[in-house]
Amino acid sequence: MYTPHPDRYADLPYRRTGRSGLMLPALSLGLWHNFGPDRPVETQRAILRRAFDLGVTHFDLANNYGPPPGAAESALGEALRADFAPYRDELVISTKAGYLMWPGPYGEWGSRKYLLSSLDQSLGRMGLDYVDVFYSHRFDPETPLEETMGALHSAVQQGKALYVGVSNYSAEQTREAARILGELGTPLLIHQPRYSMLDRRPEDEGLLDALDELRVGSIAYSPLEQGLLTARYLDGIPEDSRAASDSPFLNTDAVTGELVERLRTLNGIAESRGQSLAQMALAWVLRGGRVTSALVGASSPRQLEDSVAATRNLDFDADELARIDAVVKQ
């Protein structure tokens, strides 16, 4: 039987999520592509156990995570029953709905029917009565935002979610979502944007400013830019890499010689800080406290340990930030 480490809360920093009472670990575990039937069950369970031992108490999912869709939630459900049943109240479990999950007109986007049906299915796969956070995974331009936010509010009213969030919403869409939810009496807790040293859109498009104004938390996904901000691509494209597989999220065309040179320069800055490139990339996202938590994936417990080690040095001086900007923005 799994017994968690007694000092699991000793080292990893926690941050308040916006103006709520909810604290999240600076690093959260995303169950996107490493939890499904194509991965050994014992490896998946070992990653989850090691995460909890290190203080990573937030597990982030979506209805379509796998592959195949739904597999990650099913895998987590099995792990919850096997290892974490006594510790449910120490975990924050989030899921989302918005992308294609089943055929037909009710299987994606932001209708009330889709969102609440999807949440019921997610709870069934995980064997839970509620999730801690339920997200609208993307803005639906064809559905009134009042309907989408009303569905999130209903999830809370029904006791199936404690908090609600949005992901992939623009600054203005987020402001309007927060307004509607505020009027309903269910505050917007958190936004999950894509954000990294190489993807500055939350800064450039005013999203982080909007979240500051609204006092809404944020959790950054793809802080390692699909693995580009790791040591994997410092010598080009490895044969077993995501880029080599021509993934829709990263392909060979994106990994140019110029990009590799920039990654090598960033790696030199990281080495001067006593960090790996991946650790510096995570620290950069978390710098200054504007981002509540950074989402990381892991294919092994060791990879997760390396990510957690990034939180030992989250401070950057002005020269380091300028050098990073000079490389990224050139």
Side-chain angles (χ1 to χ4, degrees):
M1 177 178 289
Y2 166 62
T3 301
H5 197 286
D7 296 328
R8 57 191 175 276
Y9 295 109
D11 297 320
L12 189 64
Y14 278 67
R15 295 177 169 186
R16 185 167 301 280
T17 312
R19 60 179 175 177
S20 77
L22 183 67
M23 306 287 283
L24 287 179
L27 289 181
S28 299
L29 180 63
L31 279 68
W32 178 37
H33 259 209
N34 291 316
F35 290 80
D38 60 337
R39 307 284 175 144
V41 171
E42 278 308 310
T43 300
Q44 297 175 45
R45 288 180 60 186
I47 293 169
L48 292 168
R49 290 192 295 259
R50 189 62 181 136
F52 194 55
D53 285 345
L54 293 169
V56 179
T57 53
H58 178 206
F59 299 157
D60 177 83
L61 302 101
N63 58 355
N64 62 339
Y65 286 1
E73 290 178 331
S74 296
L76 179 64
E78 293 173 5
L80 291 174
R81 288 186 288 273
D83 294 326
F84 296 102
Y87 310 106
R88 172 64 182 97
D89 291 337
E90 294 186 50
L91 292 171
V92 172
I93 298 172
S94 60
T95 196
K96 317 175 196 70
Y99 288 95
L100 182 63
M101 187 60 189
W102 62 83
Y106 319 122
E108 63 178 327
W109 293 107
S111 71
R112 179 180 182 85
K113 178 172 177 59
Y114 167 65
L115 291 173
L116 294 179
S117 297
S118 177
L119 178 56
D120 283 342
Q121 292 181 21
S122 292
L123 293 174
R125 282 188 289 269
M126 292 185 283
L128 295 175
D129 296 323
Y130 71 94
V131 291
D132 296 276
V133 188
F134 182 48
Y135 287 87
S136 168
H137 206 167
R138 60 172 169 172
F139 178 78
D140 182 350
E142 302 298 329
T143 298
L145 194 54
E146 289 81 0
E147 179 176 341
T148 302
M149 294 303 106
L152 297 186
H153 170 67
S154 291
V156 173
Q157 294 298 103
Q158 294 168 8
K160 296 176 181 179
L162 301 185
Y163 302 93
V164 299
V166 297
S167 181
N168 301 306
Y169 277 49
S170 72
E172 287 310 309
Q173 291 161 356
T174 302
R175 286 191 174 94
E176 183 64 5
R179 181 192 68 78
I180 294 167
L181 285 168
E183 291 177 356
L184 292 171
T186 297
L188 178 62
L189 173 80
I190 194 166
H191 189 299
Q192 188 173 130
R194 180 168 179 159
Y195 183 44
S196 74
M197 284 195 296
L198 298 179
D199 189 342
R200 307 288 187 90
R201 284 175 294 176
E203 293 178 10
D204 299 339
E205 297 174 3
L207 177 62
L208 293 185
D209 291 337
L211 297 178
D212 287 343
E213 294 165 14
L214 296 167
R215 297 177 66 193
V216 168
S218 59
I219 179 166
Y221 75 87
S222 290
L224 302 181
E225 203 59 31
Q226 300 296 318
L228 284 176
L229 290 169
T230 70
R232 297 270 289 160
Y233 297 92
L234 296 179
D235 295 313
I237 302 175
E239 290 185 3
D240 61 345
S241 67
R242 182 168 291 170
S245 70
D246 275 332
S247 161
F249 306 102
L250 181 65
N251 56 51
T252 54
D253 292 341
V255 188
T256 64
E258 178 187 1
L259 176 60
V260 170
E261 286 303 315
R262 291 161 66 193
L263 295 176
R264 289 173 178 167
T265 303
L266 290 172
N267 187 61
I269 299 172
E271 288 178 344
S272 71
R273 290 172 47 84
Q275 292 180 315
S276 68
L277 176 55
Q279 289 169 341
M280 184 179 77
L282 293 172
W284 184 91
V285 164
L286 293 166
R287 76 198 186 287
R290 294 187 82 186
V291 170
T292 312
S293 185
L295 268 174
V296 297
S299 58
S300 68
R302 177 58 185 273
Q303 188 177 25
L304 182 65
E305 291 166 1
D306 288 345
S307 293
V308 169
T311 63
R312 297 171 189 159
N313 182 12
L314 300 179
D315 296 324
F316 290 80
D317 61 35
D319 178 65
E320 288 172 328
L321 292 174
R323 290 166 63 199
I324 291 169
D325 284 350
V327 174
V328 172
K329 297 182 177 182
Q330 66 185 10

